[in-house]
């Protein structure tokens, strides 16, 4: 415990220089603006910033990306409160109570609660990150090919289920499609070119960043341009800084949402939006005034914002300990770490243990900057929301082009961005979640290598894949996740619940 | 109700595409070499994982197909009036303009200088949405001036800023596009 705190203090002191403080301030503020603007998501912000900062030193680049991530997840709350459109998907639950509050003329109060909730949620996530990353990392040292294979399948199935709760089949299709995309190009064992059809550019595979910029950038541009012109609610912005007694009144909600947000964030690929919804749902069930939810409940707003920002820290836990992202922006963060020579995963604890505390320190500084900047300059930056989309979106698209091109200087990557943008648009229009597809693209290589390694070890016998203790637990989880979504299971479950009540 | 019916129809078409796609992936994967002839372990064959994924996508496609058929998603009626109604919708037009300009921009990258192309992309994007072609230019000079300014800043000044602040040689690399 004490060595950890000392290491954290040491890392913090390294970042408290004018150069780093300036980086923290501008990147958090830029993140807030990115989050605020509909059509610009946290994932896209982090992806574009990855391409811009790749010549920076590792600590400086990762610091900027984490600041952008934290700022963007929080920034979306302003749009959710003022125009009833979540700035990022993570703020969808914020609209439920934030917008009614703005309509009641309490936009300032709502933004103050959202800022405080986001700050406390981020701190909670940071604490969990510091505690659980080393524990999970040490546990993951027991993982072999068998466990990694099942972990990827588990990630896809659980992510598909949670990101498409109304239609998990579409979530699973999205995830397995992502896994397929990852198999395109030269494979790692025999250098055989799969599904390239003689195309030299495809031999290198589908790069993650251009694909993600397309899915989260270009597709969003098309969606925003399709939408009618949005109007900002005219609400006086007063009393932004909440009274400490107001915050203390919601301490139970804050702790509950912090725990839920972190756990949901740590589940592969699920992300901040589900973290916010689940936190909101639990807060409503536990509330003394559930009838106020949806009509402008400060408690509901607090739960949603605490939940989504706690998920940021949660999403980084599996990135560092398993090299498996907890959310889409965390997936880009994972990619950025790899670009900068950091190898996240169980071995990080042995090879580079101080990096974990470095990330914790970064998250702490980003959260503090977000809190301060969130309460200041509110009126100034809200004017950005008045920029018409037709003036903003071509700028965003030109940034998408630069972002896709920058890392490898290949025109092909710009085409990848455009194609995945169109695929992402079609998926969103037909209610397919895109997060499992992204997770699939990231985990595809892990699945491919580990399944083949396992089969080589067992000489083609698949039984050992099922009987190792950790594998068996993962298999059971996968099985129950799938079965629990079937109609007959739901019928049996409902009849069991009914008979228990009788 | 109408929306869910539209979704069932979309699901029907998607399921057919997915089923054939999964089958195609499965067949192509089975034809991949095993490298047995060079002494490689047969379980390291590159087709193992894609064939499994192709099979899973095929099964998921069939499941979606059965579900969409049970919800009468196969009752697809295409008519010219339907297309015209869709085309006349303001949202469709806004979408098509953005799509058309962006795709043309991407296709011309590499053939036309980046700075010139980006300038015209941004300029035209703003004009297509804000300029009223029935009105005189003089009456809309603010729109034109704004479009020129924004296009200049984004196409020329922004890469210069990236060059200075992020130490990226964008001015040189982008000029190769």
């Amino acid at each position: 415990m004490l060595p950890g705190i000392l290491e954290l203090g040491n890392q913090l002191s390294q970042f408290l220089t004018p150069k780093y403080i300036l980086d923290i301030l501008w990147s958090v503020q830029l993140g807030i603006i990115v989050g605020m603007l509909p059509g610009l998501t946290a994932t896209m912000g982090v992806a574009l910033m990855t391409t811009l900062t790749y010549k920076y030193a590792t600590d400086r680049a990762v610091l900027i990306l984490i600041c952008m991530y934290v700022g963007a997840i929080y920034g979306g709350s302003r749009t959710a409160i003022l125009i009833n459109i979540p700035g990022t998907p993570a703020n969808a639950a914020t609209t439920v109570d934030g917008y009614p509050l703005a309509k009641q003329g309490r936009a300032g109060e709502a933004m103050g609660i959202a800022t405080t909730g986001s700050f406390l949620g981020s701190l909670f996530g940071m604490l969990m990150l510091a505690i659980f990353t080393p524990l999970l990392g040490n546990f993951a040292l027991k993982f072999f090919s068998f466990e990694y294979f099942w972990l990827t399948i588990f990630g896809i199935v659980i992510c598909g289920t949670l990101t498409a709760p109304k239609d998990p089949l579409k979530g699973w299709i999205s995830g397995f499609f992502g896994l397929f995309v990852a198999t395109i190009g030269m494979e790692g064992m025999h250098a055989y070119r799969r599904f390239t059809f003689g195309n030299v550019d495809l031999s290198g595979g589908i790069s993650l960043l251009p694909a993600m910029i397309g899915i989260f950038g270009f597709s969003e541009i098309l969606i925003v341009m399709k939408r009618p012109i949005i109007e900002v609610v005219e609400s006086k912005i007063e009393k932004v800084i909440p009274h400490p007694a107001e915050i203390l009144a919601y301490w139970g909600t804050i702790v509950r949402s912090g725990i839920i947000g972190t756990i949901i964030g740590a589940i592969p690929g699920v992300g901040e939006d589900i973290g916010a919804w689940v936190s909101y749902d639990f807060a409503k069930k536990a509330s003394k005034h559930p009838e106020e939810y949806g009509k402008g409940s400060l408690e509901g707003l607090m739960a949603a914002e605490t939940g989504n920002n706690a998920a940021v820290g949660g999403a980084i836990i599996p990135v560092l300990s398993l090299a498996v992202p907890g959310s889409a922006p965390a997936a880009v963060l994972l990619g950025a770490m790899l670009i900068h020579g950091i190898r996240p995963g169980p071995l990080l604890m042995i090879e580079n243990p101080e990096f974990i505390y470095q990330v914790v320190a970064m998250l702490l500084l980003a959260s503090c900057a977000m809190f301060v900047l969130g309460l200041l300059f509110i009126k100034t930056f809200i004017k950005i929301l008045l920029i018409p989309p037709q003036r903003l979106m071509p700028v965003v698209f030109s940034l998408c082009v630069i972002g896709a091109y920058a890392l490898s200087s290949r025109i092909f990557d710009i085409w990848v961005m455009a194609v995945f943008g169109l695929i992402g648009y079609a998926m969103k229009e037909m209610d397919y979640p895109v997060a499992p597809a992204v997770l699939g693209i990231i985990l595809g290589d892990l699945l491919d290598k580990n399944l083949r390694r396992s089969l080589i070890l067992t000489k083609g016998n698949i039984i050992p894949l099922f009987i190792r203790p950790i594998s068996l637990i993962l298999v059971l989880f996968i099985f129950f996740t799938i079965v629990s979504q079937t109609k007959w299971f739901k019928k049996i479950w409902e009849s069991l619940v009914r008979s228990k009540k009788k | 109700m109408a929306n869910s019916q539209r979704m069932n129809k979309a699901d029907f078409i998607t399921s057919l595409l997915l089923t054939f796609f999964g089958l195609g992936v499965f067949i192509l994967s089975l034809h991949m070499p095993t490298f047995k002839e060079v002494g490689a372990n047969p379980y390291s064959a590159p087709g193992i994982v894609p064939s499994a994924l192709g099979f899973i996508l095929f099964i998921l496609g069939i499941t979606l197909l059965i579900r969409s058929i049970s919800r009468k998603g196969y009752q697809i009626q295409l008519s010219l009036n339907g297309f015209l109604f869709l085309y006349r919708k303001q949202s469709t037009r806004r979408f098509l303009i953005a799509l058309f300009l962006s795709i043309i921009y991407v296709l011309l990258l590499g053939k036309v200088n980046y700075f010139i192309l980006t300038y015209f992309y941004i300029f035209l994007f703003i004009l297509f949405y804000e300029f009223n072609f029935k009105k005189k230019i003089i009456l809309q000079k603010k729109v034109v001036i704004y479009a020129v300014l924004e296009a200049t800043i984004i196409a020329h000044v922004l890469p210069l800023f990236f060059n200075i602040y992020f130490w990226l040689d964008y001015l040189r690399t982008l000029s190769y596009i």
Side-chain angles (χ1 to χ4, degrees):
Chain A
M1 182 81 175
L2 191 65
I5 295 169
L6 287 174
E7 185 60 41
L8 177 62
N10 181 31
Q11 295 300 337
L12 267 175
S13 66
Q14 285 183 21
F15 288 121
L16 292 174
T17 63
K19 184 181 83 172
Y20 284 116
I21 291 171
L22 183 69
D23 279 338
I24 292 165
L25 291 175
W26 75 252
S27 51
V28 168
Q29 188 57 61
L30 190 63
I32 294 173
I33 294 169
V34 164
M36 269 170 69
L37 294 167
L40 284 173
T41 59
T43 312
M44 194 186 148
V46 180
L48 287 177
M49 203 43 76
T50 301
T51 62
L52 289 176
T53 56
Y54 81 98
K55 280 201 177 171
Y56 278 4
T58 307
D59 58 345
R60 195 176 175 196
V62 177
L63 173 70
I64 290 171
L65 298 180
I66 288 178
C67 288
M68 168 68 91
Y69 185 6
V70 171
I73 295 296
Y74 156 70
S77 66
R78 294 189 179 176
T79 331
I81 291 166
L82 289 173
I83 57 175
N84 201 23
I85 292 173
T88 69
N91 309 98
T94 310
T95 58
V96 182
D97 284 302
Y99 187 64
L101 280 167
K103 285 214 301 195
Q104 292 162 21
R106 296 162 69 192
E109 199 182 343
M111 280 193 260
I113 288 287
T115 308
T116 316
S118 298
F119 172 63
L120 295 173
S122 292
L123 289 187
F124 210 93
M126 180 212 74
L127 200 66
M128 295 291 124
L129 177 72
I131 296 168
F132 288 104
T133 307
L135 293 178
L136 192 61
N138 283 329
F139 177 68
L141 285 170
K142 292 174 188 160
F143 282 24
F144 285 93
S145 304
F146 310 90
E147 285 80 14
Y148 272 111
F149 163 70
W150 285 116
L151 185 69
T152 54
I153 300 290
F154 170 74
I156 293 298
V157 171
I158 198 88
C159 178
T161 310
L162 291 177
T163 53
K166 286 181 190 165
D167 196 352
L169 180 63
K170 290 186 174 178
W172 300 334
I173 289 172
S174 173
F176 282 100
F177 173 72
L179 286 175
F180 163 75
V181 169
T183 63
I184 297 171
M186 202 179 281
E187 50 87 40
M189 286 190 177
H190 301 285
Y192 179 74
R193 291 169 186 180
R194 295 185 293 206
F195 310 110
T196 58
F197 306 104
N199 186 313
V200 180
D201 287 315
L202 270 178
S203 303
I206 303 291
S207 305
L208 176 69
L209 276 178
M212 287 191 84
I213 291 172
I215 290 174
F216 291 98
F218 185 29
S219 70
E220 284 294 327
I221 292 170
L222 295 174
I223 289 168
V224 168
M225 290 317 296
K226 198 178 167 184
R227 211 183 277 157
I229 305 295
I230 46 179
E231 284 178 19
V232 179
V233 169
E234 282 185 28
S235 175
K236 277 189 180 175
I237 296 168
E238 294 169 336
K239 196 189 166 280
V240 175
I241 300 171
H243 194 275
E246 273 182 287
I247 306 302
L248 281 174
Y250 301 123
W251 72 269
T253 308
I254 294 165
V255 173
R256 188 191 317 107
S257 304
I259 294 170
I260 293 168
T262 312
I263 293 170
I264 299 283
I267 298 172
V270 176
E272 297 80 14
D273 46 343
I274 308 293
W277 279 117
V278 178
S279 301
Y280 183 83
D281 200 39
F282 270 77
K284 191 177 178 180
K285 279 177 187 158
S287 176
K288 287 174 188 167
H289 305 285
E291 72 286 351
E292 286 177 9
Y293 278 66
K295 293 171 190 164
S297 162
L298 288 175
E299 191 183 35
L301 181 64
M302 179 66 93
E305 278 302 308
T306 309
N308 64 19
N309 268 75
V312 173
I316 302 175
I317 295 173
V319 166
L320 296 177
S321 54
L322 299 167
V324 172
S327 69
V332 185
L333 196 64
L334 171 65
M337 286 175 186
L338 292 169
I339 289 168
H340 284 279
I342 301 281
R343 277 206 315 151
L347 291 176
L348 188 70
M349 280 304 297
I350 296 161
E351 292 173 353
N352 198 0
E354 65 276 14
F355 183 71
I356 292 168
Y357 294 100
Q358 213 171 26
V359 172
V360 174
M362 290 171 186
L363 201 55
L364 176 63
L365 293 167
S367 308
C368 294
M370 177 205 73
F371 187 59
V372 175
L373 293 169
L375 294 176
L376 300 172
F377 316 122
I378 284 188
K379 286 178 192 171
T380 318
F381 284 104
I382 277 173
K383 285 176 185 153
I384 291 168
L385 286 176
L386 300 172
I387 300 173
Q390 62 269 21
R391 292 184 184 185
L392 191 67
M393 289 304 130
V395 178
V396 176
F397 190 68
S398 63
L399 287 175
C400 287
V401 166
I402 289 181
Y405 180 76
L407 280 181
S408 311
S409 301
R410 291 196 308 172
I411 291 278
F412 176 74
D413 285 335
I414 299 174
W415 295 348
V416 167
M417 181 274 293
V419 169
F420 275 84
L422 294 176
I423 292 171
Y425 174 77
M427 286 174 75
K428 286 171 189 173
E429 284 291 296
M430 290 192 287
D431 289 345
Y432 285 85
V434 290
V438 170
L439 187 70
I441 298 174
I442 294 162
L443 297 184
D445 188 51
L446 202 67
L447 173 100
D448 184 27
K449 283 181 182 153
N450 285 298
L451 176 61
R452 287 194 279 167
R453 265 184 213 145
S454 306
L455 289 173
I456 292 167
L457 286 171
T458 62
K459 293 174 183 162
N461 183 3
I462 59 164
I463 292 169
L465 250 87
F466 293 88
I467 56 170
R468 287 169 61 89
I470 301 170
S471 296
L472 186 63
I473 292 167
L474 287 169
V475 170
L476 289 174
F477 262 119
I478 294 164
F479 178 75
F480 282 116
T481 308
I482 295 170
V483 169
S484 67
Q485 300 303 318
T486 55
K487 274 184 184 173
W488 57 266
F489 180 87
K490 283 177 183 170
K491 272 183 191 169
I492 293 169
W493 184 257
E494 277 170 18
S495 64
L496 275 173
V497 171
R498 248 182 265 136
S499 63
K500 226 181 181 184
K501 275 182 184 172
K502 277 178 189 173
Chain B
M1 189 68 189
N3 210 11
S4 71
Q5 196 52 33
R6 259 204 304 274
M7 193 58 79
N8 290 335
K9 288 174 185 174
D11 284 350
F12 177 73
I13 297 166
T14 320
S15 66
L16 284 176
L17 290 173
L18 188 70
T19 306
F20 285 114
F21 178 74
L23 199 63
V25 169
F26 182 70
I27 293 167
L28 281 173
S29 308
L30 289 184
H31 285 91
M32 285 179 188
T34 57
F35 295 100
K36 262 185 189 172
E37 63 279 5
V38 289
N41 190 310
Y43 297 107
S44 70
I48 288 180
V49 173
S51 62
L53 291 174
F55 182 71
I56 292 170
L57 285 172
F58 173 75
I59 296 294
L60 292 171
I62 291 284
T63 313
L64 189 64
L65 181 68
I66 293 167
R67 198 183 72 180
S68 64
I69 288 172
S70 71
R71 292 177 183 176
K72 297 183 178 166
Y74 55 85
Q75 291 175 340
I76 298 164
Q77 292 164 328
L78 297 175
S79 69
L80 187 64
N81 280 344
F83 278 112
L84 283 176
F85 173 73
L86 196 67
Y87 178 72
R88 283 186 195 126
K89 278 173 80 174
Q90 189 71 18
S91 59
T92 312
R93 285 189 181 187
R94 290 177 63 84
F95 165 77
L96 286 175
I97 291 171
L99 180 70
F100 173 77
L101 287 172
S102 304
I103 294 295
I104 293 289
Y105 176 52
V106 166
L107 290 176
L108 288 178
L109 278 168
K111 296 178 182 78
V112 180
N113 178 279
Y114 168 83
F115 301 103
I116 297 168
L117 189 63
T118 305
Y119 178 89
F120 277 105
Y121 169 69
I122 293 168
F123 179 73
L124 289 174
F125 202 103
I126 296 170
L127 282 201
F128 265 100
Y129 284 98
E130 293 195 9
F131 195 80
N132 188 338
F133 290 92
K134 288 171 189 166
K135 282 186 187 173
K136 285 181 180 174
I137 298 178
I138 297 289
L139 297 171
Q140 302 175 76
K141 61 184 176 199
K142 268 189 182 174
V143 173
V144 179
I145 291 169
Y146 187 90
V148 168
L149 276 177
E150 186 175 318
T152 311
I153 291 168
I154 301 305
H156 299 94
V157 183
L158 199 65
L160 184 68
F161 169 74
F162 288 162
N163 251 37
I164 297 164
Y165 196 82
F166 295 107
W167 317 329
L168 299 166
D169 204 359
Y170 272 153
L171 289 182
R172 192 171 56 84
T173 48
L174 289 172
S175 64
Y176 291 146
I177 295 185

